[in-house]
Amino acid sequence: MNGVIELFNTLLPIFVMVVLPVMVVWLVTRARLKKNEQKMAVLVKAIENGVDIDPALLVSETEGGRNTKMKLVRKLTTGVICAIIGLAVLICTQLDAFEGVAGIEMLYIIGGVLIAVGAAYILAFFVGRKYLAPEIEAEEKKLQN
């Protein structure tokens, strides 16, 4: 029984750190490819039937789907999430449950790095909002027309 627990304790970190991220990336990539294949099948069928195609349909969603304001909001969201996770890691390392853990110094480093990354994203949001204000206004006017 002790050998099973040791095997489980060995395989669980490998699964969480390697297999799980690989599966997530594979699923996301597969979903994007399937969506693009379906989109292309519809476009090919439309071309075969002689229907005029809107050029906006051919633009990649990552380029045309997000306006400048949404990109800035995404930076702010990422910054806040990173900062909160970093703060949570630092608070959790202060709890008594982590006394005697061998890699507790690494948790301090990870928490500090996450807070720094979060602060950088939040700073990028405020700087970007200041410098991209004319573009945001132009996009809003374009949407109103």
Side-chain angles (χ1 to χ4, degrees):
M1 186 67 178
N2 196 15
V4 173
I5 293 174
E6 286 181 29
L7 180 65
F8 179 74
N9 288 338
T10 304
L11 292 179
L12 183 65
I14 293 172
F15 177 78
V16 170
M17 299 300 283
V18 177
V19 176
L20 192 61
V22 168
M23 290 300 294
V24 168
V25 170
W26 177 74
L27 285 172
V28 169
T29 304
R30 182 175 155 232
R32 280 189 189 154
L33 288 174
K34 188 169 182 116
K35 186 176 180 180
N36 285 340
E37 287 174 3
Q38 290 174 347
K39 188 176 177 182
M40 287 300 140
V42 168
L43 288 173
V44 166
K45 191 72 167 174
I47 291 171
E48 289 174 354
N49 292 334
V51 177
D52 290 332
I53 298 174
D54 184 20
L57 292 175
L58 300 175
V59 176
S60 172
E61 290 181 5
T62 56
E63 294 172 5
R66 298 183 190 135
N67 59 15
T68 307
K69 196 172 190 178
M70 289 305 296
K71 289 178 186 176
L72 284 175
V73 168
R74 184 167 294 215
K75 284 184 182 182
L76 179 64
T77 305
T78 304
V80 169
I81 289 172
C82 284
I84 289 173
I85 292 173
L87 188 62
V89 168
L90 289 178
I91 290 171
C92 286
T93 55
Q94 296 297 318
L95 299 176
D96 293 336
F98 286 101
E99 284 184 21
V101 175
I104 198 160
E105 295 84 16
M106 188 58 99
L107 289 176
Y108 285 114
I109 294 171
I110 290 171
V113 167
L114 284 172
I115 289 175
V117 168
Y121 270 109
I122 293 170
L123 180 67
F125 165 77
F126 286 111
V127 171
R129 187 177 68 173
K130 179 180 177 182
Y131 287 107
L132 296 174
E135 289 181 26
I136 292 171
E137 289 177 18
E139 286 178 357
E140 287 177 354
K141 288 179 183 177
K142 183 179 176 184
L143 290 174
Q144 290 175 356
N145 292 335

